[in-house]
Amino acid sequence: MRVRDLLAPGAPRLRLLAAEEELDRQVSGVMTTDLQDPGRYLHGGELVLTGMLWRSAPADSERFVRTLASGGAVALAAGEAEVGPVPEDLVEACRRHRMPLLAVPDDIAFGTVTEFVGRQVSADRAADLAALVDRHRMLVSAAGGGGLDAVLDLLGGDLDLDCWVLAPTGAVIAGPADRLPAEDRDQLVRAHLAAQRQRRRPPHRARLASGAYSLLPAPADPRTPSPLADWVLAVAGDVTEWTAKRQQLAENLARLVAAERHRRDEGRRLRRRLADEVLALLRRDADPAEISRTLYASSAMAARYEAPESGARPAEDSWLVISAEGTGLPEGVVRAVLEEALGDGTDRALVAGDGTGAVVVVPATDGPVPAEALRELLAPLEAGLGPEGRITLGVSAPAREAVGLRGALEEARHARRIAAARVGRVCVAGPEELASHVLLLAAVPDEVRRAFRGRLLDTVIAYDLEHQADLVRTLEAFLRSDGSWTRCAAQLHVHVNTLRYRIGRIEELTGRDLSRLEDRVDFYLALELA
């Protein structure tokens, strides 16, 4: 019931004295007290009945009402049987704290008010339970007919409850995307992934500029246990502050979302088999015609094109390959992540499992996937990666027809090695980098690269740390200036003599000569590796 119900026909004859604008507050029970400080007995939602025996001076009213407001009481009913009419100082205190104040006439017993509230609250709870059962039936019906969007539309219309289902990259799976900006989605999935990585118990709470949200996981295939592959149910509001029955509705909705995720994963089984078959064909350098037939089958399954005559080539005649590898992640997680990230509603991308990584073959009808765009797409996953967790990806240039896919796979794998040589949790390299010196560095074993870098730079770095000499930055600027003393000094805002001293110190520490091209190249590569 609400506070205003205490003033409705059939209710005890109470008079409203203050805070008319707060009558829509929800009453959960009654508390009777004449203690000066009843705060420790308040749990929130109470109508407080008092005979005002706690009041000995006008200042007592302010303290009493302030205690009720901070304890979560929703209204105060003051009885006039013991001390007479409600004093004006109590009315003013209730106005200041926006606390509805009701006067209980001397011929109305507190027991009558308590009994009325009890009947109303019990009736409301019975009605809410019946409505909850009906809503659950409607949810199940909606899920079977219109998918998750129908369920979330129903909740929005029936309960004024905004909900979204998000992929771990922040993409909207279901829900009103126009009512949740991309920046908010990014913050929500990052908050969820961080909480899951820290093994905090859901629901997770996030407070953004737009308001509070509750986040519940909708797990993917249990064979790939990782929050990086989970969907996220985002609910507007803090569910921990809701009633038990409303919390149960949110939990049941999360289960329904998980069931829908499982259903979609089951529907991907055949497509996964096709993806694994394509990867196997590429590994054994199979006949391009055989690869084309498998690619055509994937296009037909995506329901984008009508089946052409037997023997015709796939509708897409340009493809690119992405090679991905996960470090410190369970097997299958990277595959599940890329299926969601690169899905466009039709699952045109073929994502094959490759140990702890994946290989993706995707139509390039819209041009190549820019490496930077792919990195930004996967950037929210950084929040869910542990101290040793990494995802590295390499993207090939588009390959014309199936005949060029074998070369595109090798190109993507080389690009991934370049990405792996970089610092960061999610690193991507594209085909444009394969013509640079970085390709040579990526092919060198890790231990060799570390030894090479350490041999040239360790003494310089140690000297900088001890003397704050800025030698490494000086070396970088000198090489970028092609060894020009004047340009480098101007860039660093130092005198040429100061620059000559620093370069001389670098040469003394390393035994190298920066006037020689060979030593300059070695330093340049060492800095790239750093």
Side-chain angles (χ1 to χ4, degrees):
M1 66 171 289
R2 300 185 185 277
V3 175
R4 68 173 61 255
D5 295 333
L6 290 163
L7 302 169
R13 291 180 294 104
L14 308 183
R15 302 191 317 275
L16 178 65
L17 301 179
E20 181 179 1
E21 70 279 5
E22 299 294 336
L23 296 183
D24 283 326
R25 292 181 175 184
Q26 195 81 28
V27 179
S28 61
V30 177
M31 174 188 175
T32 302
T33 183
D34 273 308
L35 295 173
Q36 288 185 339
D37 183 5
R40 59 183 177 275
Y41 301 110
L42 291 170
H43 301 287
E46 294 93 350
L47 166 68
V48 176
L49 294 174
T50 180
M52 297 185 290
L53 298 179
W54 44 266
R55 181 183 177 276
S56 58
D60 295 339
S61 295
E62 169 66 23
R63 287 193 295 270
F64 186 78
V65 176
R66 184 171 60 244
T67 299
L68 299 188
S70 61
V74 296
L76 172 63
E80 298 179 322
E82 295 290 337
V83 299
V86 177
E88 187 60 29
D89 51 84
L90 181 56
V91 176
E92 288 301 321
C94 286
R95 285 174 181 161
R96 282 193 296 274
H97 291 280
R98 302 174 66 88
M99 177 67 65
L101 175 61
L102 306 168
V104 183
D106 55 9
D107 60 339
I108 301 294
F110 280 179
T112 301
V113 178
T114 302
E115 182 181 355
F116 176 81
V117 172
R119 286 199 307 269
Q120 293 295 318
V121 170
S122 296
D124 286 350
R125 286 174 178 166
D128 285 344
L129 183 59
L132 181 61
V133 171
D134 289 341
R135 279 194 289 272
H136 282 182
R137 289 172 182 163
M138 295 173 70
L139 286 177
V140 173
S141 174
L148 290 176
D149 278 311
V151 175
L152 302 188
D153 286 345
L154 174 63
L155 287 173
D158 187 31
L159 297 178
D160 194 24
L161 184 63
D162 286 335
C163 302
W164 298 265
V165 178
L166 306 177
T169 58
V172 177
I173 304 296
D178 58 330
R179 296 172 64 177
L180 191 66
E183 181 180 351
D184 286 359
R185 299 199 303 267
D186 181 88
Q187 292 183 60
L188 289 177
V189 295
R190 286 177 183 269
H192 169 76
L193 290 170
Q196 287 286 84
R197 181 169 60 83
Q198 295 164 8
R199 301 186 181 279
R200 284 187 282 171
R201 185 175 181 178
H204 310 306
R205 287 167 289 179
R207 183 165 293 278
L208 310 183
S210 56
Y213 295 85
S214 298
L215 308 170
L216 296 96
D221 190 331
R223 291 170 294 184
T224 58
S226 171
L228 294 173
D230 290 350
W231 284 353
V232 184
L233 173 62
V235 181
D238 186 347
V239 301
T240 62
E241 297 178 353
W242 293 358
T243 61
K245 62 182 181 298
R246 197 172 174 91
Q247 289 184 28
Q248 183 185 9
L249 180 62
E251 292 169 0
N252 288 347
L253 179 58
R255 294 189 188 98
L256 192 150
V257 172
E260 175 66 13
R261 172 64 190 271
H262 180 69
R263 184 195 65 77
R264 185 177 297 191
D265 285 346
E266 287 296 306
R268 282 173 169 164
R269 280 191 174 186
L270 179 56
R271 190 160 184 81
R272 284 185 167 191
R273 285 202 294 269
L274 284 173
D276 290 340
E277 182 179 345
V278 168
L279 180 57
L281 292 172
L282 292 176
R283 281 173 169 168
R284 63 183 175 87
D285 203 12
D287 185 343
E290 189 176 359
I291 299 174
S292 290
R293 285 192 291 271
T294 306
L295 293 176
Y296 162 68
S298 76
S299 296
M301 186 178 300
R304 268 191 175 271
Y305 307 96
E306 295 182 0
E309 296 179 359
S310 177
R313 70 182 183 180
E316 294 92 353
D317 59 2
S318 183
W319 304 79
L320 58 85
V321 179
I322 301 171
S323 176
E325 182 66 31
T327 303
L329 300 177
E331 186 171 337
V333 169
V334 173
R335 181 183 202 169
V337 165
L338 291 177
E339 283 177 335
E340 293 299 329
L342 300 175
D344 60 357
T346 57
D347 279 341
R348 294 170 65 211
L350 284 171
V351 187
D354 191 18
T356 57
V359 171
V360 184
V361 178
V362 62
T365 52
D366 298 326
V369 175
E372 183 58 26
L374 185 58
R375 197 203 69 78
E376 290 180 2
L377 178 66
L378 300 178
L381 301 178
E382 295 174 349
L385 293 168
E388 303 300 325
R390 293 190 76 203
I391 298 178
T392 53
L393 305 98
V395 184
S396 76
R400 293 289 297 175
E401 303 184 344
V403 68
L405 279 178
R406 175 67 184 177
L409 175 60
E410 290 304 315
E411 189 175 66
R413 285 175 170 166
H414 281 304
R416 194 201 65 77
R417 294 189 187 102
I418 293 175
R422 294 175 174 160
V423 176
R425 296 291 183 84
V426 178
C427 298
V428 187
E432 67 280 356
E433 300 181 65
L434 294 180
S436 83
H437 62 278
V438 182
L439 176 61
L440 297 176
L441 296 179
V444 177
D446 288 346
E447 61 274 12
V448 175
R449 284 187 283 143
R450 283 194 296 268
F452 177 76
R453 180 183 62 226
R455 189 165 58 249
L456 266 76
L457 296 181
D458 278 0
T459 55
V460 181
I461 293 172
Y463 188 88
D464 272 354
L465 292 174
E466 183 177 354
H467 301 281
Q468 290 77 49
D470 219 12
L471 296 185
V472 172
R473 190 168 73 93
T474 300
L475 176 60
E476 290 174 331
F478 185 72
L479 295 174
R480 281 197 305 270
S481 303
D482 297 324
S484 169
W485 297 98
T486 54
R487 287 207 313 271
C488 182
Q491 181 181 338
L492 294 174
H493 305 291
V494 298
H495 194 274
V496 172
N497 288 341
T498 301
L499 176 61
R500 291 185 184 278
Y501 172 80
R502 291 182 182 178
I503 295 299
R505 175 60 66 185
I506 293 171
E507 291 175 335
E508 291 176 11
L509 292 170
T510 61
R512 298 298 186 107
D513 182 356
L514 279 164
S515 66
R516 298 178 66 246
L517 175 62
E518 296 90 335
D519 286 341
R520 288 188 189 178
V521 170
D522 283 350
F523 275 122
Y524 177 78
L525 294 177
L527 289 168
E528 285 288 297
L529 291 172

